[in-house]
Amino acid sequence: MNELLLIVTVGGSRVALPAAAVESVVELDTLIPVPRAPAHVAGLSALRSRVLTVIDCMQSLELGATDCTNGIREAAVVEVDGHHYALIVDVVEDVVEALSDPSAVRAAMGAGWERVSKGMVETEEGPLLLIDIEKLIAGTATEARAA
Amino acid sequence: MDDLIADFVAECREMLEALGGEIVAWEAQPDDRARLDSIFRFVHTVKGNCGFFDFPRLEALSHAAEDALADVRASRRTPDAALVSAVLAIIDRIGEMIGCIEAGEDFPAGDDSSLIAALAPGAEGAAAPVAAAIAEGKGGAASAPRTIRLSVELLDRVMSGVSDMVLARNELARRLRETPTDVTVDGAFERLSGIIAEMRDAITRTRMQRIENLFVALPRMVRDLSAELGKQVLVDIDGGDVELDREMIEMIRDPLTHIIRNAVDHGIETPADRIKGGKREIGLLCVSARQSGNQILIDIVDDGRGIDGKKLVEKAISSGALGKAEASALSPREQLALIFEAGLSTAKEVTAISGRGVGMDVVRSNVERIGGIVEVDSKLGEGTRMTLRVPLTLTIIPALTVSIANQHFAIPRSAIEEIVRVNGGSVTLDRIGGAGVATIRGRRVPEVSLAEVLGLQSGVSDEEGSLVVLRPAGGDVYALAVDRIHDHEELVVKPAAPAVMATGLYAGTTLADDGSPILLFDPAGVAQVGGVKLEAQERSARVVEVATTTAQRDNSVLLFRGLDGGRRALRLAVVDRIEEVDRKAVRKAAGQLRVQLGDTILPLAGAEALEKGEEKVRVFRLNDGSHEIGYAFREVIDLMPMDGELIPADNPGAVSGVTLIGEEPAELVDAHWLFSNHLGAAVKPADRGVCRLPSDDPWMQNMLRPIVEAAGYVVIGEEDELIPDLVIASDDRPVESSDKAKTIVLRSDPEGEDGESIYRYDRAGLLMALKAASGRGK
């Protein structure tokens, strides 16, 4: 098992994203809000002539809103169903190799984390939570309906 | 028409090619269900199209093959070698005939009955060897314009490449503006820009088509179908200006045709049944297209008998497609959705037009293949609505950018009627019951505040803003209040992420020249979120209502305002449909005003007051059964019963008299006079039966005449010189009949026993007599 993982920090917690799904890591400067969109859609941004839908991971994980006012934010760019998304994270750290298959997390996590969890993987840096990117993008179901 | 035939040929060729392998596989394994289905679909499609194009031999062949295959599909028959080779022989013959059609030749002489006979169970031997191949080596095809068939995938790649190129150019333009550049660089860039724009136009054109191209064939098809079935159907088509990917149009052609055939065949009842059911005898079929978000919605609404969900469930249970327990759990909507299951049909009889219970499953699979959805909604006895939702693909559209609270948005230019400044003298804003109403040069339109819809704080006061008057495709106008109007731009629109589309406000996203993302509004969606009711929705609600409340009214008239402002009425029976054309399509030619509608040119009446300034002209398409003329008007007021007395005009003319309709006087347009006057030499009375009606009998003139005319007669009065083939008289006023003419005597007493006369409301009897007389007259 040598899947590569991208370690990022969201809301102060270190988590892992499947590195194969991440196209690039960018610094977002412009952010155009989308009125009436669900709360976890922070807005739109552009990258090399492509529109990115920016997802606020904090909102999606029900951890509160990321403060986007102070300019540049780091984000991981992923493609899901032909649409490009930028996932706003606190910090992008490193790429590591997974040392195990994901296994269920038996400890009690927050509801938001529970929803996007793909399980726990062992790495050289210790156990990390593997995030399901599609669920992260979908946000909370209630928010999607309220839209 | 030639285009359609070319499409038909191309489609058949394509299917034949694809079928080549299937046929062989089926021969090896006759019980292979998937192969059987695809062959079945081929003959079914050919049959369907043939009915429309009038190729009786092709139709007979494909119908026979379809029948045999349907038996196999329903497990009433097991496929054997004889059946397989008989079907193959028929497919070969179809291929040859299509070759002939393509080359523009007649079919080779010969009889198909041996082929058809070979299909019968237990038929001996293979079919007779097919006639010599004809399509080969013919020089005829060389004169046709050179075309090649490209895969849409390739076109998509080119299209997306061009889109990216446009965006790259925009970015380059921005960078060039930021840095001082050499004038020669600017020149070269300008040229590059021009070339890219040209290329983009060309590539866009290869893919986009007005849906009108699809709709234009429908009235004729419905007309032929309804004539064949002895029904009367009025077609109302709306939203032909909606543009759609060419491929999409091709992909929805078959499903749409199928749904309409079903609607006419099974939905709309015979005139007698309709009257019994308390409806107008003329069925109404509305086909409308509109854009909503990144989807095109096509509604096909009929006011026929509707679909019986319970019957469908019973059928599904008896055919084993559905368990009893499952069936009881179905919601009414799910019951209706059963019509999309293979092998179900509620029609009692199988007709040549539809109703074998195939079709709807084919329709659904075709629509779903292109990422669309078919929905059905029906009320038993009131009508059925079928909705096709198909996606709009990658497009480049001209748009207007506006801003609210300093954020930019784009509005598709095609939906924009005009832009007005609020502080101009011609505009007033009022609030009525909390809702905004803008009065623009006397016209009241609902106003939607963009700031409110978006939940943003408007940066300017109401008076400083601007109003964008929008008309969503197929909908009604409303005014959108925005802070500022910016620029016209050509934007490459890409679908936005699902979470963004789910708001219903946006049609997609795009990048502006400065490289920042912009959201493109969906005008219909904004109206909906803003609470404005669109006309298209209201209208569909009204259809059902009209159908139920105007029971047993033979004398419905369409009340409208003419171009000169006059309040007029036309008998509904002569109005085929309503069209809107460019002012340019109306011109004086060969001695009178004529209007171009699609491929046909019709004489145009009622256009004396046509003003130069008008851009669009609305035209009634009047039909007397064999000829058409146009009648220009300003607006339709309503559909009304004509219950007042008709005060005849002094002189024969475009107006036959004045009557009270809806408590105000209206002039009744004399459709017969219009036809006789405007068609002029175009009508050869010899081609049609001539019927004499007493010209002073109002019942005859008002009630009977339209029926007689619809039956294909030229109606004359006593003083006319034409020799009638048929004389109609009432029993209280006998007329002497000439020996050449047949006489129909009508009595006003339903119980009359003389056996000679016909009760004057016995419509079926009347039509029969008219038909019999016309048969004799010719």
Short mmCIF file of all heavy atoms in Angstrom, two decimals, chain A residues 91-138:
data_model
loop_
_atom_site.label_atom_id
_atom_site.label_comp_id
_atom_site.label_asym_id
_atom_site.label_seq_id
_atom_site.Cartn_x
_atom_site.Cartn_y
_atom_site.Cartn_z
N VAL A 91 -3.09 25.24 6.12
CA VAL A 91 -1.72 25.07 5.65
C VAL A 91 -1.63 23.78 4.84
O VAL A 91 -2.29 22.80 5.19
CB VAL A 91 -0.72 24.97 6.83
CG1 VAL A 91 0.72 24.97 6.31
CG2 VAL A 91 -0.92 26.07 7.85
N VAL A 92 -0.85 23.79 3.78
CA VAL A 92 -0.55 22.55 3.09
C VAL A 92 0.85 22.14 3.56
O VAL A 92 1.79 22.93 3.46
CB VAL A 92 -0.57 22.73 1.57
CG1 VAL A 92 -0.12 21.46 0.88
CG2 VAL A 92 -1.95 23.14 1.11
N GLU A 93 0.98 20.93 4.09
CA GLU A 93 2.26 20.58 4.70
C GLU A 93 3.18 19.77 3.81
O GLU A 93 4.19 20.23 3.34
CB GLU A 93 2.02 19.82 6.02
CG GLU A 93 1.47 20.72 7.10
CD GLU A 93 1.46 20.05 8.44
OE1 GLU A 93 2.00 18.93 8.56
OE2 GLU A 93 0.91 20.65 9.39
N ASP A 94 2.75 18.53 3.51
CA ASP A 94 3.72 17.64 2.90
C ASP A 94 2.98 16.50 2.22
O ASP A 94 1.80 16.29 2.43
CB ASP A 94 4.63 17.07 4.01
CG ASP A 94 5.93 16.54 3.43
OD1 ASP A 94 6.09 16.64 2.19
OD2 ASP A 94 6.76 16.05 4.21
N VAL A 95 3.72 15.75 1.41
CA VAL A 95 3.16 14.54 0.83
C VAL A 95 3.85 13.34 1.48
O VAL A 95 5.08 13.31 1.57
CB VAL A 95 3.38 14.50 -0.69
CG1 VAL A 95 2.89 13.18 -1.27
CG2 VAL A 95 2.66 15.66 -1.35
N VAL A 96 3.06 12.41 1.98
CA VAL A 96 3.66 11.22 2.60
C VAL A 96 3.02 9.97 2.01
O VAL A 96 2.02 10.04 1.30
CB VAL A 96 3.42 11.20 4.14
CG1 VAL A 96 4.16 12.33 4.81
CG2 VAL A 96 1.93 11.23 4.44
N GLU A 97 3.63 8.84 2.29
CA GLU A 97 3.13 7.58 1.78
C GLU A 97 2.24 6.93 2.84
O GLU A 97 2.58 6.95 4.02
CB GLU A 97 4.31 6.67 1.48
CG GLU A 97 4.03 5.64 0.41
CD GLU A 97 5.32 4.97 -0.03
OE1 GLU A 97 6.19 5.69 -0.59
OE2 GLU A 97 5.47 3.77 0.22
N ALA A 98 1.13 6.36 2.40
CA ALA A 98 0.27 5.67 3.36
C ALA A 98 0.89 4.33 3.68
O ALA A 98 1.40 3.64 2.80
CB ALA A 98 -1.12 5.49 2.77
N LEU A 99 0.88 3.96 4.94
CA LEU A 99 1.48 2.70 5.35
C LEU A 99 0.43 1.63 5.61
O LEU A 99 0.76 0.50 5.91
CB LEU A 99 2.34 2.91 6.60
CG LEU A 99 3.50 3.90 6.42
CD1 LEU A 99 4.20 4.15 7.75
CD2 LEU A 99 4.50 3.37 5.39
N SER A 100 -0.86 2.02 5.54
CA SER A 100 -1.90 1.02 5.78
C SER A 100 -3.15 1.40 4.98
O SER A 100 -3.25 2.51 4.48
CB SER A 100 -2.27 0.97 7.26
OG SER A 100 -3.03 2.13 7.59
N ASP A 101 -4.07 0.45 4.87
CA ASP A 101 -5.37 0.77 4.30
C ASP A 101 -6.14 1.55 5.35
O ASP A 101 -5.88 1.41 6.54
CB ASP A 101 -6.15 -0.52 4.00
CG ASP A 101 -5.64 -1.14 2.71
OD1 ASP A 101 -5.11 -0.38 1.87
OD2 ASP A 101 -5.76 -2.37 2.55
N PRO A 102 -7.11 2.37 4.90
CA PRO A 102 -7.89 3.11 5.89
C PRO A 102 -8.66 2.14 6.77
O PRO A 102 -9.20 1.13 6.29
CB PRO A 102 -8.86 3.96 5.06
CG PRO A 102 -8.52 3.75 3.64
CD PRO A 102 -7.48 2.70 3.52
N SER A 103 -8.69 2.38 8.06
CA SER A 103 -9.49 1.56 8.95
C SER A 103 -10.45 2.47 9.70
O SER A 103 -10.19 3.67 9.83
CB SER A 103 -8.59 0.82 9.94
OG SER A 103 -7.82 1.77 10.64
N ALA A 104 -11.54 1.91 10.17
CA ALA A 104 -12.57 2.71 10.81
C ALA A 104 -12.02 3.40 12.05
O ALA A 104 -11.19 2.83 12.76
CB ALA A 104 -13.75 1.83 11.18
N VAL A 105 -12.50 4.61 12.24
CA VAL A 105 -12.11 5.33 13.45
C VAL A 105 -13.14 5.04 14.52
O VAL A 105 -14.33 5.27 14.31
CB VAL A 105 -12.06 6.85 13.19
CG1 VAL A 105 -11.58 7.58 14.43
CG2 VAL A 105 -11.16 7.15 12.01
N ARG A 106 -12.68 4.50 15.64
CA ARG A 106 -13.67 4.12 16.64
C ARG A 106 -13.86 5.20 17.70
O ARG A 106 -14.82 5.19 18.44
CB ARG A 106 -13.29 2.80 17.30
CG ARG A 106 -13.18 1.67 16.26
CD ARG A 106 -13.60 0.36 16.86
NE ARG A 106 -12.86 0.05 18.07
CZ ARG A 106 -11.62 -0.45 18.10
NH1 ARG A 106 -10.98 -0.70 16.97
NH2 ARG A 106 -11.04 -0.72 19.23
N ALA A 107 -12.95 6.16 17.72
CA ALA A 107 -13.11 7.25 18.67
C ALA A 107 -14.22 8.18 18.19
O ALA A 107 -14.56 8.20 17.02
CB ALA A 107 -11.80 8.01 18.80
N ALA A 108 -14.81 8.93 19.10
CA ALA A 108 -15.89 9.84 18.75
C ALA A 108 -15.32 11.10 18.11
O ALA A 108 -14.50 11.79 18.71
CB ALA A 108 -16.70 10.19 19.99
N MET A 109 -15.74 11.39 16.87
CA MET A 109 -15.28 12.60 16.19
C MET A 109 -16.46 13.56 16.12
O MET A 109 -17.60 13.20 16.38
CB MET A 109 -14.82 12.29 14.78
CG MET A 109 -13.62 11.36 14.73
SD MET A 109 -13.04 11.16 13.04
CE MET A 109 -14.34 10.25 12.30
N GLY A 110 -16.19 14.80 15.71
CA GLY A 110 -17.26 15.76 15.49
C GLY A 110 -18.12 15.29 14.33
O GLY A 110 -17.68 14.51 13.48
N ALA A 111 -19.39 15.75 14.28
CA ALA A 111 -20.31 15.31 13.24
C ALA A 111 -19.76 15.60 11.86
O ALA A 111 -19.87 14.81 10.92
CB ALA A 111 -21.67 16.00 13.43
N GLY A 112 -19.16 16.79 11.71
CA GLY A 112 -18.60 17.17 10.41
C GLY A 112 -17.49 16.23 9.98
O GLY A 112 -17.44 15.77 8.85
N TRP A 113 -16.61 15.93 10.89
CA TRP A 113 -15.51 15.03 10.58
C TRP A 113 -16.05 13.66 10.24
O TRP A 113 -15.58 12.99 9.31
CB TRP A 113 -14.55 14.93 11.77
CG TRP A 113 -13.74 16.18 12.01
CD1 TRP A 113 -13.85 17.04 13.04
CD2 TRP A 113 -12.70 16.68 11.17
NE1 TRP A 113 -12.96 18.06 12.93
CE2 TRP A 113 -12.22 17.86 11.78
CE3 TRP A 113 -12.12 16.25 9.97
CZ2 TRP A 113 -11.20 18.63 11.23
CZ3 TRP A 113 -11.09 17.01 9.44
CH2 TRP A 113 -10.65 18.19 10.06
N GLU A 114 -17.03 13.22 11.02
CA GLU A 114 -17.61 11.90 10.82
C GLU A 114 -18.12 11.74 9.39
O GLU A 114 -17.94 10.71 8.75
CB GLU A 114 -18.78 11.73 11.81
CG GLU A 114 -19.26 10.31 12.01
CD GLU A 114 -18.32 9.50 12.89
OE1 GLU A 114 -18.11 9.86 14.07
OE2 GLU A 114 -17.78 8.52 12.36
N ARG A 115 -18.75 12.81 8.92
CA ARG A 115 -19.39 12.75 7.60
C ARG A 115 -18.36 12.59 6.48
O ARG A 115 -18.61 11.89 5.50
CB ARG A 115 -20.22 14.02 7.39
CG ARG A 115 -21.15 13.98 6.21
CD ARG A 115 -22.14 15.15 6.27
NE ARG A 115 -21.53 16.40 6.70
CZ ARG A 115 -20.74 17.13 5.92
NH1 ARG A 115 -20.49 16.76 4.69
NH2 ARG A 115 -20.21 18.24 6.39
N VAL A 116 -17.23 13.25 6.58
CA VAL A 116 -16.29 13.24 5.47
C VAL A 116 -15.18 12.20 5.66
O VAL A 116 -14.29 12.07 4.84
CB VAL A 116 -15.63 14.63 5.28
CG1 VAL A 116 -16.69 15.68 5.04
CG2 VAL A 116 -14.77 14.99 6.48
N SER A 117 -15.27 11.44 6.73
CA SER A 117 -14.18 10.51 7.05
C SER A 117 -14.19 9.30 6.12
O SER A 117 -15.22 8.74 5.80
CB SER A 117 -14.33 10.03 8.50
OG SER A 117 -13.54 8.87 8.67
N LYS A 118 -12.99 8.92 5.68
CA LYS A 118 -12.84 7.68 4.92
C LYS A 118 -12.11 6.66 5.78
O LYS A 118 -11.76 5.60 5.33
CB LYS A 118 -12.01 7.95 3.66
CG LYS A 118 -12.83 7.98 2.38
CD LYS A 118 -11.87 8.05 1.22
CE LYS A 118 -12.57 7.84 -0.09
NZ LYS A 118 -11.61 8.01 -1.19
N GLY A 119 -11.81 7.05 6.99
CA GLY A 119 -11.10 6.14 7.88
C GLY A 119 -9.73 6.69 8.26
O GLY A 119 -9.34 7.79 7.85
N MET A 120 -9.03 5.90 9.05
CA MET A 120 -7.74 6.35 9.55
C MET A 120 -6.63 5.60 8.81
O MET A 120 -6.76 4.41 8.55
CB MET A 120 -7.68 6.03 11.04
CG MET A 120 -6.54 6.61 11.78
SD MET A 120 -6.72 6.16 13.53
CE MET A 120 -6.50 4.40 13.46
N VAL A 121 -5.58 6.30 8.42
CA VAL A 121 -4.45 5.63 7.78
C VAL A 121 -3.19 5.88 8.60
O VAL A 121 -3.02 6.93 9.21
CB VAL A 121 -4.21 6.13 6.34
CG1 VAL A 121 -5.23 5.53 5.39
CG2 VAL A 121 -4.24 7.64 6.26
N GLU A 122 -2.32 4.85 8.58
CA GLU A 122 -1.04 4.99 9.27
C GLU A 122 -0.04 5.63 8.31
O GLU A 122 0.00 5.31 7.12
CB GLU A 122 -0.51 3.61 9.69
CG GLU A 122 -1.33 2.94 10.77
CD GLU A 122 -1.26 3.68 12.09
OE1 GLU A 122 -0.28 4.44 12.32
OE2 GLU A 122 -2.22 3.55 12.88
N THR A 123 0.74 6.57 8.79
CA THR A 123 1.81 7.15 7.99
C THR A 123 3.04 7.25 8.86
O THR A 123 2.98 6.99 10.07
CB THR A 123 1.46 8.57 7.50
OG1 THR A 123 1.40 9.42 8.64
CG2 THR A 123 0.12 8.60 6.79
N GLU A 124 4.15 7.69 8.25
CA GLU A 124 5.37 7.89 9.03
C GLU A 124 5.16 8.97 10.07
O GLU A 124 5.86 9.03 11.08
CB GLU A 124 6.52 8.29 8.11
CG GLU A 124 7.08 7.10 7.33
CD GLU A 124 8.08 7.55 6.29
OE1 GLU A 124 8.21 8.77 6.08
OE2 GLU A 124 8.70 6.67 5.67
N GLU A 125 4.20 9.86 9.78
CA GLU A 125 3.96 10.95 10.72
C GLU A 125 2.89 10.61 11.74
O GLU A 125 2.33 11.50 12.36
CB GLU A 125 3.55 12.21 9.94
CG GLU A 125 4.48 12.51 8.77
CD GLU A 125 4.88 13.96 8.73
OE1 GLU A 125 4.15 14.79 9.30
OE2 GLU A 125 5.92 14.25 8.13
N GLY A 126 2.55 9.35 11.82
CA GLY A 126 1.51 8.95 12.77
C GLY A 126 0.18 8.77 12.07
O GLY A 126 0.09 8.96 10.86
N PRO A 127 -0.86 8.38 12.80
CA PRO A 127 -2.17 8.16 12.18
C PRO A 127 -2.80 9.47 11.74
O PRO A 127 -2.71 10.47 12.45
CB PRO A 127 -2.97 7.49 13.31
CG PRO A 127 -2.30 7.92 14.56
CD PRO A 127 -0.86 8.17 14.25
N LEU A 128 -3.45 9.44 10.55
CA LEU A 128 -4.12 10.63 10.02
C LEU A 128 -5.51 10.25 9.54
O LEU A 128 -5.74 9.11 9.12
CB LEU A 128 -3.33 11.22 8.85
CG LEU A 128 -2.01 11.93 9.16
CD1 LEU A 128 -1.29 12.26 7.87
CD2 LEU A 128 -2.26 13.19 9.96
N LEU A 129 -6.41 11.21 9.59
CA LEU A 129 -7.77 10.98 9.07
C LEU A 129 -7.75 11.21 7.57
O LEU A 129 -7.30 12.26 7.08
CB LEU A 129 -8.74 11.95 9.75
CG LEU A 129 -10.20 11.75 9.40
CD1 LEU A 129 -10.71 10.44 9.97
CD2 LEU A 129 -11.03 12.92 9.91
N LEU A 130 -8.25 10.22 6.81
CA LEU A 130 -8.33 10.36 5.35
C LEU A 130 -9.68 10.97 4.99
O LEU A 130 -10.73 10.48 5.41
CB LEU A 130 -8.15 8.99 4.68
CG LEU A 130 -8.08 9.01 3.16
CD1 LEU A 130 -6.87 9.78 2.66
CD2 LEU A 130 -8.06 7.59 2.60
N ILE A 131 -9.62 12.05 4.21
CA ILE A 131 -10.85 12.81 3.91
C ILE A 131 -11.45 12.35 2.58
O ILE A 131 -10.75 12.16 1.60
CB ILE A 131 -10.52 14.31 3.81
CG1 ILE A 131 -9.93 14.83 5.11
CG2 ILE A 131 -11.75 15.11 3.40
CD1 ILE A 131 -10.93 14.99 6.22
N ASP A 132 -12.76 12.20 2.56
CA ASP A 132 -13.49 11.93 1.32
C ASP A 132 -13.79 13.27 0.67
O ASP A 132 -14.63 14.04 1.12
CB ASP A 132 -14.80 11.19 1.66
CG ASP A 132 -15.55 10.79 0.39
OD1 ASP A 132 -15.41 11.51 -0.63
OD2 ASP A 132 -16.28 9.79 0.42
N ILE A 133 -13.08 13.55 -0.43
CA ILE A 133 -13.17 14.88 -1.04
C ILE A 133 -14.59 15.19 -1.53
O ILE A 133 -15.10 16.29 -1.35
CB ILE A 133 -12.16 14.99 -2.20
CG1 ILE A 133 -10.75 15.00 -1.61
CG2 ILE A 133 -12.40 16.24 -3.01
CD1 ILE A 133 -9.66 15.04 -2.63
N GLU A 134 -15.26 14.20 -2.14
CA GLU A 134 -16.60 14.46 -2.66
C GLU A 134 -17.56 14.87 -1.56
O GLU A 134 -18.40 15.75 -1.74
CB GLU A 134 -17.14 13.23 -3.39
CG GLU A 134 -16.42 13.00 -4.69
CD GLU A 134 -16.94 11.81 -5.47
OE1 GLU A 134 -18.13 11.49 -5.29
OE2 GLU A 134 -16.17 11.22 -6.22
N LYS A 135 -17.42 14.23 -0.41
CA LYS A 135 -18.33 14.57 0.69
C LYS A 135 -18.00 15.94 1.24
O LYS A 135 -18.88 16.69 1.67
CB LYS A 135 -18.22 13.52 1.81
CG LYS A 135 -18.71 12.16 1.34
CD LYS A 135 -19.50 11.46 2.44
CE LYS A 135 -20.15 10.19 1.93
NZ LYS A 135 -19.34 9.00 2.23
N LEU A 136 -16.71 16.26 1.19
CA LEU A 136 -16.29 17.58 1.67
C LEU A 136 -16.92 18.66 0.79
O LEU A 136 -17.39 19.69 1.27
CB LEU A 136 -14.75 17.66 1.59
CG LEU A 136 -14.09 18.84 2.28
CD1 LEU A 136 -14.32 18.79 3.77
CD2 LEU A 136 -12.59 18.85 1.98
N ILE A 137 -16.95 18.38 -0.52
CA ILE A 137 -17.49 19.36 -1.46
C ILE A 137 -19.01 19.45 -1.34
O ILE A 137 -19.60 20.51 -1.47
CB ILE A 137 -17.08 18.99 -2.90
CG1 ILE A 137 -15.59 19.30 -3.07
CG2 ILE A 137 -17.90 19.73 -3.92
CD1 ILE A 137 -14.98 18.72 -4.29
N ALA A 138 -19.64 18.31 -1.09
CA ALA A 138 -21.10 18.31 -1.01
C ALA A 138 -21.59 19.15 0.16
O ALA A 138 -22.70 19.68 0.11
CB ALA A 138 -21.61 16.87 -0.87
#
